Amino acid sequence: MKNIRNFCIIAHIDHGKSTLADRLLDATGSVTDREKQDQLLDSMDLERERGITIKSHAIQMDYTYEGEQYVLNLIDTPGHVDFSYEVSRSIAACEGALLVVDAAQSIQAQTISNLYLALENDLEIIPVLNKVDLPSANPEEVTDDIVDLLGCRAEDVIPASAKTGIGIKEILQAIIQRVPAPKGDPSEPLRALVFDSVYNPFRGVETYFRVMDGEIRKGQEIKFVATGKTYGADEVGTLKLKQVPKTVISTGDVGYLITGIKDAREVKVGDTITDAARPTQKAIDGFEDVKPMVFAGIYPVDTEEFEELRASMEKLQLNDASLVFAPESSAALGFGFRCGFLGMLHMEIIQERLEREFNMTVITTVPNVSYHAYSKKNPDSIIIVNNPSDLPDPSSLDRVEEPYIKASIITKADYVGNVMSLCIEKRGQITNQTYLTQDRVELNFDMPLAEIVFDFYDRLKTVSRGYASFDYSPIGLRVSKLVRVDILLNGQMVDALSALVHFDNAHHIGKKMCEKLKELIPRQQFDIPIQAAIGAKVISRETIKALRKDVTAKCYGGDISRKRKLLEKQKKGKKRMRQVGNVEIPQQAFMAVLKLND
């Protein structure tokens, strides 16, 4: 056990985490020249294109240092705030962390939030200053920032460049010297932490775990504590670039387990694996069911593809257990699904994977969050509102609670005013403001989650010229004055365009939505009224004018009554047309609601 080191890499997006992992694999000889490629641990094309890690990976490296053989387990973490629970479980499986900071961009919001996660788990932090070879790098200044943040010495910070390979040997040496060996009791009953799982179409779910106490053997009967289910361990082994089967994985080590489970939802990240015959009495702390934060409707463009979409979503769920969906129908869009996502990035990824991997063209409705409503009749029972149309009638409502988040934004001092006015416009309340350095400010806000779901991140980047970085964590529900704004087209309600908004913003949003739809909906042979309403009260109206046809063109000369007769006939026809006429809503109208500020 004394020669095992478990560590992870934490960094903000784009600070060179995946490239550093590539260099460590090269330096320890874990990959052959044939297998080498950039971002080796990012296996999805989407991850490579966007330069983000979506799915965490683990890999074992062997390294000889001063004549002794060491086993280094790198547990990679996803880089985005949406996946913070997975990051926290990966961190819980380690004893040390490499804190990677870009020498050109300095410390960002996610660096700090992941650092706090690591410190809560008592990890040994090794600061690494990456990209020191860039002409725009500012190593002395950024080293001072890291020293202020961690309270370490300047010589503890390792200057490195993952691209050119500077400082890689020093990093490996620091991992062996500074990261403590795993603690645990091999004689205790088996206790292992699940930090990830992958679906293999041929063998079922592969579970990645770290053994805290005891050992896990091939063929052993094991039990998952959270689900209470028992399985046989068909295969256990360690994770090199390819899996290496072993007969036993002992205390402190990291490995994979195949039990033939076919449903990814049965393996929960953060769960404890124990021996079925001699179960452990204390499960590993910190387990929670991942709850979706953002909800949106996904509908097939062609209604006949509903069953295909269902099959595609089920296959996707095998790979990604955090996706939840339930069938729903809409008068405007037909049959589809109400889906729950971890955040906006997760939603984009799911949508893109549906289009790439399953060739499904889908319409996504306006995303919203999950609210709690309470009725006057029964003020103690919660009505969960995931869809605006689930909100009960305003007259019977007692109160509505909405989820709030604690947002942490790090920006340059020049843009503080812009960032503050954006957050206050989004109903944020400032709770704290700290100057990290003379030029960098950390702002903390309490904000409703619903306000950051739309376009907050894009607008934050715009007002700060790309400098601000953003991170958030949920802080519970608060009572809010919310109303449902409905859109009526030609007197018919379009349920897919309904939105739950704060009462103070309702008139403004209703007016904007009507104006936007007026631009996007094509003209018909009759006038189309577009109305925004709260309950029975119309708060805004626009009219799309009819395409006029000159029916009197053939009446030249003669009595005026001939023209009048024709116009009366046309008027009756128009009236009938408006009663039976259907208004087609183009696809971009559903997404237009997201871009009301453009």
Side-chain angles (χ1 to χ4, degrees):
M1 240 165 73
K2 69 177 182 32
N3 285 9
I4 296 176
R5 298 286 182 272
N6 297 323
F7 68 100
C8 59
I9 305 178
I10 51 181
H12 191 74
I13 294 169
D14 238 11
H15 281 202
K17 188 158 64 89
S18 299
T19 317
L20 179 62
D22 290 351
R23 287 300 82 75
L24 292 174
L25 292 174
D26 290 351
T28 53
S30 305
V31 283
T32 60
D33 286 347
R34 274 184 63 186
E35 294 163 328
K36 257 186 212 173
Q37 54 170 333
D38 286 347
Q39 294 159 291
L40 190 72
L41 294 182
D42 293 349
S43 47
M44 260 188 266
D45 352 337
L46 254 176
E47 294 181 310
R48 293 166 175 282
E49 277 170 31
R50 292 180 169 219
I52 50 177
T53 304
I54 296 167
K55 195 89 183 80
S56 57
H57 286 264
I59 192 158
Q60 192 176 77
M61 304 175 271
D62 297 319
Y63 188 60
T64 311
Y65 174 66
E66 292 182 351
E68 277 199 63
Q69 190 75 23
Y70 286 88
V71 172
L72 309 180
N73 287 312
L74 162 61
I75 298 172
D76 193 15
T77 56
H80 198 271
V81 46
D82 285 2
F83 308 113
S84 56
Y85 173 65
E86 283 183 30
V87 176
S88 77
R89 295 300 83 208
S90 296
I91 286 175
C94 301
E95 277 84 29
L98 295 180
L99 178 76
V100 179
V101 179
D102 185 330
Q105 295 179 24
S106 189
I107 292 160
Q108 303 283 345
Q110 242 162 314
T111 322
I112 291 185
S113 74
N114 286 347
L115 172 68
Y116 288 155
L117 271 178
L119 291 173
E120 275 168 30
N121 284 293
D122 295 331
L123 264 61
E124 178 63 40
I125 307 289
I126 300 173
V128 175
L129 184 63
N130 195 16
K131 306 192 185 181
V132 289
D133 59 322
L134 288 184
S136 59
N138 212 338
E140 291 84 11
E141 219 172 280
V142 181
T143 304
D144 293 344
D145 294 353
I146 297 174
V147 170
D148 291 347
L149 179 70
L150 287 177
C152 60
R153 300 192 312 255
E155 46 272 23
D156 293 343
V157 181
I158 303 171
S161 160
K163 198 158 105 190
T164 56
I166 302 168
I168 300 299
K169 278 212 168 64
E170 289 80 356
I171 292 174
L172 286 165
Q173 192 178 331
I175 291 169
I176 288 165
Q177 289 175 349
R178 296 194 218 167
V179 176
K183 295 180 183 67
D185 189 344
S187 59
E188 284 280 304
L190 166 68
R191 212 164 61 109
L193 168 72
V194 176
F195 62 83
D196 197 14
S197 66
V198 189
Y199 182 75
N200 178 334
F202 304 107
R203 313 192 62 180
V205 179
E206 298 169 356
T207 311
Y208 295 169
F209 62 86
R210 145 85 200 267
V211 184
M212 297 297 186
D213 294 316
E215 57 181 28
I216 186 165
R217 290 184 166 277
K218 184 180 175 176
Q220 178 181 0
E221 279 289 303
I222 53 135
K223 179 181 173 188
F224 285 91
V225 175
T227 57
K229 296 194 174 175
T230 344
Y231 304 98
D234 299 342
E235 181 179 312
V236 293
T238 50
L239 294 145
K240 294 287 177 74
L241 201 57
K242 295 191 173 61
Q243 295 166 340
V244 184
K246 297 266 176 83
T247 48
V248 62
I249 303 279
S250 42
T251 312
D253 214 347
V254 173
Y256 72 93
L257 161 76
I258 295 175
T259 50
I261 300 174
K262 290 285 180 279
D263 186 352
R265 285 168 294 188
E266 287 181 23
V267 178
K268 296 181 185 294
V269 171
D271 197 353
T272 308
I273 303 176
T274 186
D275 187 3
R278 197 173 70 132
T280 177
Q281 293 312 304
K282 46 183 197 294
I284 297 161
D285 295 342
F287 170 73
E288 52 185 84
D289 271 322
V290 185
K291 292 180 195 68
M293 303 282 270
V294 174
F295 293 84
I298 287 188
Y299 292 86
V301 171
D302 183 355
T303 30
E304 289 165 6
E305 290 179 351
F306 173 70
E307 281 305 325
E308 277 176 54
L309 181 62
R310 182 198 293 272
S312 308
M313 300 277 270
E314 281 166 357
K315 282 182 188 158
L316 252 184
Q317 201 175 34
L318 292 173
N319 278 314
D320 185 348
S322 49
L323 166 71
V324 289
F325 63 90
E328 72 165 359
S329 65
S330 143
L333 297 170
F335 291 103
F337 295 96
R338 189 92 204 147
C339 304
F341 307 99
L342 299 176
M344 290 302 285
L345 177 84
H346 189 212
M347 179 175 130
E348 275 180 48
I349 288 163
I350 295 288
Q351 205 180 333
E352 205 149 308
R353 284 184 69 184
L354 278 173
E355 286 177 8
R356 283 185 182 201
E357 294 170 27
F358 303 101
N359 293 328
M360 297 297 306
T361 40
V362 292
I363 294 175
T364 313
T365 63
V366 182
N368 63 294
V369 299
S370 180
Y371 300 94
H372 286 185
Y374 298 86
S375 68
K376 284 176 183 165
K377 268 187 196 165
N378 197 350
D380 296 331
S381 74
I382 302 174
I383 305 163
I384 292 177
V385 181
N386 289 339
N387 191 347
S389 55
D390 298 343
L391 189 75
D393 185 46
S395 56
S396 68
L397 259 185
D398 180 41
R399 64 188 192 280
V400 182
E401 292 181 349
E402 67 173 328
Y404 264 69
I405 56 160
K406 178 180 188 279
S408 138
I409 296 167
I410 293 181
T411 177
K412 282 199 158 184
D414 314 355
Y415 305 116
V416 171
N418 298 355
V419 172
M420 273 192 184
S421 53
L422 170 67
C423 292
I424 289 163
E425 178 197 324
K426 295 280 189 188
R427 312 203 322 258
Q429 296 151 347
I430 188 157
T431 55
N432 196 359
Q433 177 179 355
T434 9
Y435 274 80
L436 301 172
T437 64
Q438 288 177 341
D439 198 33
R440 301 169 67 71
V441 191
E442 182 180 8
L443 302 166
N444 293 99
F445 287 91
D446 286 356
M447 289 172 78
L449 177 65
E451 294 288 345
I452 67 158
V453 161
F454 281 167
D455 54 353
F456 178 75
Y457 194 63
D458 296 347
R459 287 187 60 201
L460 178 68
K461 286 291 186 198
T462 311
V463 297
S464 66
R465 301 201 184 157
Y467 277 110
S469 60
F470 169 67
D471 194 85
Y472 66 86
S473 54
I475 52 171
L477 296 147
R478 296 185 187 179
V479 176
S480 219
K481 197 176 178 189
L482 296 167
V483 289
R484 187 174 83 214
V485 175
D486 292 323
I487 298 292
L488 304 159
L489 273 187
N490 202 12
Q492 300 284 322
M493 191 181 121
V494 183
D495 52 2
L497 288 173
S498 297
L500 279 177
V501 294
H502 194 264
F503 180 76
D504 300 345
N505 301 343
H507 283 258
H508 174 69
I509 286 179
K511 189 168 183 297
K512 282 255 188 173
M513 279 167 87
C514 290
E515 286 169 2
K516 200 82 177 174
L517 289 171
K518 185 182 177 184
E519 291 169 27
L520 291 169
I521 292 174
R523 288 167 71 186
Q524 306 282 345
Q525 297 275 334
F526 53 92
D527 282 3
I528 306 170
I530 303 172
Q531 293 160 309
I534 298 173
K537 183 185 172 195
V538 174
I539 54 171
S540 173
R541 171 179 168 136
E542 295 283 337
T543 309
I544 299 175
K545 287 289 174 207
L547 286 166
R548 295 278 319 259
K549 183 178 168 192
D550 192 359
V551 284
T552 59
K554 59 176 185 276
C555 304
Y556 48 91
D559 192 9
I560 186 74
S561 58
R562 287 177 62 204
K563 283 189 180 178
R564 286 236 175 87
K565 194 171 154 192
L566 273 170
L567 288 169
E568 280 302 316
K569 195 171 158 191
Q570 188 193 31
K571 197 170 164 188
K572 277 182 198 157
K574 291 271 181 200
K575 189 178 171 187
R576 195 168 66 246
M577 204 188 257
R578 187 158 71 240
Q579 284 165 353
V580 298
N582 260 341
V583 183
E584 282 286 312
I585 307 170
Q587 153 82 28
Q588 65 259 45
F590 292 104
M591 297 320 286
V593 190
L594 298 177
K595 301 189 175 69
L596 288 179
N597 290 302
D598 293 0

